[in-house]
Amino acid sequence: MPPKQDKFAVKNATANPQQITAEQILREAVERMGDERPGPSRKIASKEELADYKVSKRKEFEDTLRKQRHHMGTWIKFDRVTSLLPRHDQFWYKYAYMEELLMDYAAARKVYERWMQWQPSDNAWLQYIKFELRCHEVERARAIYERYVSQIQTVMSFTRLAKFEERHGNNVRARAGYQTCHDALKDDLGPEGITEDLYVKWAEFEQRAARDDPSAAAKVYKLGIDTLPPERTAYLRDRYAKYMKQKGTRTDIERLLLEKCRLKYEKQLSDADGVDVDIWINYILLEENIGDSAAQCREVYERAIAAALPPEQAAPKGRKDLYRRYVYIWLFYANYEESLIQSGESTPDRVREVYHTALELFRSRKIYFSKLYNAYAEFEIRQMDVGRARLVYGRAIGESKKASVFRSYIQFEFNLGQVDRPRRICASYVSAHSLEAASWVCWMDMEMKLSEVNRARKLGEMAIRSEEVMNEPELIWKKCIDLEIEQGEMENARDLFERLLDRTTHVKVWRSYADFELKHGDQSFLKAKEVLERGIAEAKKDEDPESRRLLLEYMLKLAKEVKNDDIANIESRQPKAVKHKGRVDPSHGGGESGADDTVMITVWEFPDDEVAGDVAKKPKIKLLEAAKLFKKMRLSEQSGGSSHL
């Protein structure tokens, strides 16, 4: 049985010689389309026929809207859209515009009123206002503006109202519009709130409206700068500066510069986290010199005190170095408050409060500044309150025991004509600072002022014989010697010099002794030369060529001052510097064993040595000096190398 064939199978699969494409089919269909004939025109002859026509068209609109509800063109042709889609402004505008074209202004106004009940955007209100202006209804337009700014309170809306009033010659209402905007939005500093633009336009209005009063625009600029945050007033300040340079007085320009400096310091403090004391001090001085008021300056002081105080965790107790600059803020604050007493803006009690707060703060951190105590006591002295001043000094001695406090207290009591009190304070000073030569000198000075020479002499003797090692003992010796010279007791002074030489043979002692003999003792160059010769011999004995050279130079200097005949001889004794490059023997301490080292050394050659027959010793002396110098260089190199480890 033959296989069954599919009736849908292609019998001839060869290509048709005439190919037809989809494009050809569509093109032929379009070409064969005939022009549609328009429907017949209809003439309506009666109201009944018109009503029927409206019903049919309405039904047609309804059917179309059910099919395409969001089609804009259909809605525009049908007036009921304003009730169904009241948020689409275009429908309202078309509706009102149609009524206006029909010159039915009352109907158009009703459309606008219905529109405004939905609280539309700015553009809707502006369209309503323009409609009234086209109708020459200025008062109606003004009333609409009032409603507009009451519902939409923005800088733009109030600015439009002010410009409207200015265009119609009512500057009072225009100014009131700007002022109302400021009052309504001054607390709203957000993006939608008050902006620089309000004050710029307001100031421009004042420049036009009050040409004879430059201060009106300046007040507006200042109001804006005071209201807005500093970071949002850059443009406003720039406009203000340009205006004041044109119209302002010298005082106005200075005030402008003050504001500019304030901003600069505020920015610097912000960058430094408010802890830079120097910036705070500069800021404080600015406010003191050209600031607006005492309250403003006090505010800066209080901010500086709080912000610049080192935190306790970063400043351990007793670390005075971290507070050395900070304490000046308190000192300046107290001085500023004191300067306001005469004008009545401050009181002595307020100054005392500043000092007391500062002292309590530093005491809690175990920090004591003598300058703070002294300033407090001096303030009480200026207030003629001796009792309070003594209390301050007593507190300072009990808490800090600073030497400068003792000296100030002693001078204070001495100026009051007291005798016993200064002595008791001096005794406390020496007891607290027994190792400080300055304490003994202070007591001696006080006794000398009282003409108690014997007391001063005994105090000096006690200090000299003290077995404790003092700081700067030369102060005691100098004071004792000067005392004897002032009293004309040259033998006593000479005896003190001899006792001092038993303790030290320093070059300065020999020089001072020679000066004494030349100017106060025998007033003889020969005696002074004799003292220096002793010093030279001692230096030669101690193998100290540097001291020996210095004493010879000083002898020559004194000889030239008094024009002595022995100048030539002394000049011939001056040493000569000779540089040597030689090898140093390690056996003399010059270096390591077996090392072959050479150094450049400077050796002073004294003509006196050659005359005395010490020429044979000179090479040995040079070698020893070179060895000592090389050893010193090696030790310094080793210590320098180890410091880098």
Side-chain angles (χ1 to χ4, degrees), residues 107-144:
R109 192 171 287 114
K110 288 181 181 180
V111 173
Y112 278 117
E113 286 296 334
R114 287 175 55 198
W115 190 3
M116 297 305 111
Q117 291 176 2
W118 289 96
Q119 298 181 356
S121 62
D122 299 68
N123 187 56
W125 289 96
L126 296 177
Q127 294 299 331
Y128 192 5
I129 292 169
K130 290 178 181 178
F131 163 73
E132 295 293 357
L133 292 177
R134 288 195 296 270
C135 296
H136 305 287
E137 295 287 348
V138 177
E139 290 301 324
R140 285 182 179 272
R142 180 174 287 115
I144 297 169

Side-chain angles (χ1 to χ4, degrees), residues 44 80 95 113 132 209 213 390 402 417 456 479 492 531 556:
I44 299 175
R80 196 159 56 89
Y95 192 3
E113 286 296 334
E132 295 293 357
D213 186 11
R390 283 174 175 160
K402 296 289 184 179
K479 187 63 183 178
N492 291 345
V531 172
L556 179 61

Side-chain angles (χ1 to χ4, degrees), residues 16 18-29:
N16 193 344
Q18 184 177 0
Q19 296 293 323
I20 300 175
T21 62
E23 182 181 358
Q24 290 175 334
I25 295 172
L26 292 174
R27 185 170 59 251
E28 289 178 359

Side-chain angles (χ1 to χ4, degrees), residues 473-483 500:
E474 64 274 8
L475 296 178
I476 291 290
W477 287 98
K478 184 177 185 303
K479 187 63 183 178
C480 292
I481 292 171
D482 291 343
L483 184 150
L500 179 57

Side-chain angles (χ1 to χ4, degrees), residues 274-297:
V275 297
D276 195 318
V277 176
D278 293 328
I279 298 176
W280 279 115
I281 290 177
N282 291 335
Y283 196 176
I284 287 167
L285 294 177
L286 173 73
E287 292 294 342
E288 284 190 11
N289 294 328
I290 56 176
D292 296 329
S293 63
Q296 176 73 19
C297 190

